[in-house]
Amino acid sequence: IGPGWAGTMRYWPRMGSERFVGITVMPEYIQTEGIDRVLANLVKAGATAVATSPYVMEPADEKTGSREPPIDAGAGKVRLLDRPLWGRRELFVRTAPSFTAQRSLYAGLRYQPAPPTRLTEEQGGIVAGFIRAARRLGLKAYLQIQAAIPPGYRVQFGGPQPGDTPLLPDGRIPPRRLANNGSLASPHIRGYTEALIRDLARAYPEIDGIRVDWPEYPPYFLDDVFLDFSPPARAAAERLGIAWEPMRQAADGLYRLLNGGLRDTHLLPWLDPDGGRYLLARRLSEQPGIGVFLRFKALLAEELLAGFRRALSEAGGAAKELMPNAFPPPFTLASGLDFARAARHSTAISVKLYTMHWPVILRFYGEQLRKTNPGLSEPLLVKALVNWFDIADGEAPSSLADYVYPEPGDPHPAGLRAQARKIVQAQNEAGDTPVYALAHGYGPAGDFRRRLNMAYRAARRRVWINRYGYLSDEKLEVIAQACPAKAG
């Protein structure tokens, strides 16, 4: 990885490092490959845990389904599956819940669980069968749900109702979003997801825990950074004793600066040897409302996780694990996921190293800033964004056109030392709560090997791998080799 990475090791807290290798297997692969074949492949890869989700799937057409794999706001249309589904590497699909909800748990709530369908009746039982079979083999078994996208079974299906949508400081809905998360402050969304957790603890008592995805405001676009000023957020601010209008005005002022008032002189300090840290501290002292806003989002995310932990414990799952998935630092400053706060309610926290997303996030930000500030120097802007996101180990391309979603055979343009730094930063904040690296299987086998080897070492032999659909037989062998049972 390089000499710069090893020096960060001294900052780790003293804690155990029991080997953990988890693989996310979406139910459609259990349906198409069968329980025995999937589990045999997991054992071959040396997995110690598996996560799936409470739904089943079937092929659909473009009008009635969503693309698999996800298109990621258009940028991910180059993505193809390594393991075909129903004989295809890309297709349109629809889903149904894998279980029949206990309706009384959702009584009086704005959001209700999806009703069982013919597909539920015919194939829903395969999820419970898979969990039982995995446990018999000695694997830990988890269910993964969405934190704020009712009905919460899968990221591409669902979203908030009017009134629960996160808003910008001027009251607008962002014109472009990738994550259809609702407001973390919405009591309706919180109540629904807590009820879902209770329901899953009832329907799948054998699970070891629940993973929650996106318990934050995913900052894929620049506008996402300025969420949330919705009515539920305002009510939460008043409850928490936070002065709403000064916070809103500060966020609105920064938004307007970035969208029309930005000049090259604003960017130059971020290229200084100190990385702009002095400038950041100075600006926060001049605009304390921005600091309040960042703290406010962190409080919302913490309250969300606290409710999830309480719901799981009250449903008889006090011994079951709650494991949120999070963006890596420094994205979490904008997303609201404070690792120290999240650690109070979590068994462990998984940090997403979805490095195929990083170049397009940079491009999304850069294109908006260039459009609203046409006089900006593009090379200067790109260098500032690379520094802000901390995604490169050395010199990086200086043109926005160079930052694209990698195709299946392309290595991910992200520094290994940069990835390791993010894991270490998260662990430093989380204290004694373990941080797991969440690596992504998409990409060529050689690049996957390098990224996984780094993740396994940086997270002290604790990794999740997303997801089985991108793990060819060659990559399953890579996992066994890169994550050996014996430390070395």
Side-chain angles (χ1 to χ4, degrees), residues 86 94 210 230 262 360 425 427 431 435 440 452 460 474:
W86 291 284
R94 57 176 165 259
I210 291 180
S230 63
L262 203 59
V360 291
Q425 288 166 350
Q427 185 64 80
V435 165
H440 207 288
L452 181 59
R460 302 192 68 180
E474 180 183 5

Side-chain angles (χ1 to χ4, degrees), residues 185-186 190 231-242 244 296 300 303:
S186 167
R190 290 184 180 184
R234 181 165 190 163
E238 292 173 355
R239 174 174 52 79
L240 294 167
I242 294 174
W244 177 261
F296 173 57
L300 293 181
E303 285 194 337

Side-chain angles (χ1 to χ4, degrees), residues 328-345:
F331 295 102
T332 43
L333 289 172
S335 78
L337 200 295
D338 180 313
F339 289 98
R341 293 181 180 277
R344 299 169 185 169
H345 315 285

Side-chain angles (χ1 to χ4, degrees), residues 10-301:
R10 64 181 182 274
Y11 297 113
W12 266 311
R14 296 183 182 276
M15 62 171 64
S17 56
E18 181 179 355
R19 179 179 179 270
F20 184 103
V21 179
I23 298 176
T24 306
V25 180
M26 295 291 98
E28 54 267 28
Y29 281 98
I30 308 170
Q31 293 174 257
T32 55
E33 293 190 2
I35 291 174
D36 292 342
R37 182 183 175 191
V38 170
L39 289 177
N41 282 338
L42 298 185
V43 171
K44 174 183 176 182
T48 65
V50 64
T52 190
S53 291
Y55 70 84
V56 281
M57 179 182 285
E58 65 183 355
D61 55 35
E62 190 169 353
K63 292 182 179 179
T64 62
S66 295
R67 183 184 187 268
E68 177 62 20
I71 201 166
D72 287 346
K77 60 187 177 183
V78 300
R79 202 156 55 153
L80 297 173
L81 298 166
D82 281 38
R83 308 190 75 86
L85 279 176
W86 291 284
R88 299 180 62 182
R89 296 185 68 192
E90 61 175 328
L91 70 164
F92 287 87
V93 297
R94 57 176 165 259
T95 64
S98 61
F99 69 106
T100 299
Q102 184 174 314
R103 291 282 173 176
S104 61
L105 294 173
Y106 307 85
L109 297 180
R110 172 178 293 177
Y111 297 93
Q112 293 293 306
T117 69
R118 167 198 53 80
L119 184 59
T120 306
E121 296 173 1
E122 293 177 357
Q123 300 191 42
I126 198 170
V127 171
F130 179 74
I131 290 169
R132 288 193 295 269
R135 291 291 305 274
R136 285 196 296 269
L137 285 176
L139 298 175
K140 300 184 80 172
Y142 300 80
L143 283 174
Q144 177 168 301
I145 61 172
Q146 297 304 309
I149 309 179
Y153 308 141
R154 184 178 167 91
V155 64
Q156 290 81 21
F157 299 89
Q161 295 183 20
D164 290 331
T165 302
L167 300 179
L168 293 169
D170 61 3
R172 291 182 299 121
I173 296 174
R176 191 180 183 194
R177 296 187 71 197
L178 190 151
N180 198 21
N181 271 32
S183 171
L184 302 191
S186 167
H188 305 290
I189 288 178
R190 290 184 180 184
Y192 172 80
T193 311
E194 289 170 13
L196 175 61
I197 288 171
R198 293 186 179 95
D199 210 357
L200 293 177
R202 170 200 63 84
Y204 299 97
E206 291 133 324
I207 59 172
D208 289 279
I210 291 180
R211 300 170 74 201
V212 288
D213 201 24
W214 283 345
E216 54 191 341
Y217 292 95
Y220 285 103
F221 294 97
L222 180 61
D223 281 4
D224 295 329
V225 174
F226 292 88
L227 302 174
D228 177 19
F229 290 90
S230 63
R234 181 165 190 163
E238 292 173 355
R239 174 174 52 79
L240 294 167
I242 294 174
W244 177 261
E245 193 57 24
M247 178 176 69
R248 190 200 67 79
Q249 289 180 3
D252 189 57
L254 180 57
Y255 184 88
R256 292 177 185 277
L257 171 65
L258 294 176
N259 289 276
L262 203 59
R263 303 292 181 267
D264 285 353
T265 53
H266 292 110
L267 301 176
L268 287 171
W270 300 100
L271 306 184
D272 285 347
D274 81 332
R277 288 187 293 272
Y278 173 80
L279 176 67
L280 177 62
R282 173 59 65 197
R283 291 292 180 261
L284 287 175
S285 69
E286 294 172 349
Q287 293 288 340
I290 298 299
V292 172
F293 176 46
L294 298 179
R295 177 174 172 269
F296 173 57
K297 289 198 285 187
L299 289 172
L300 293 181

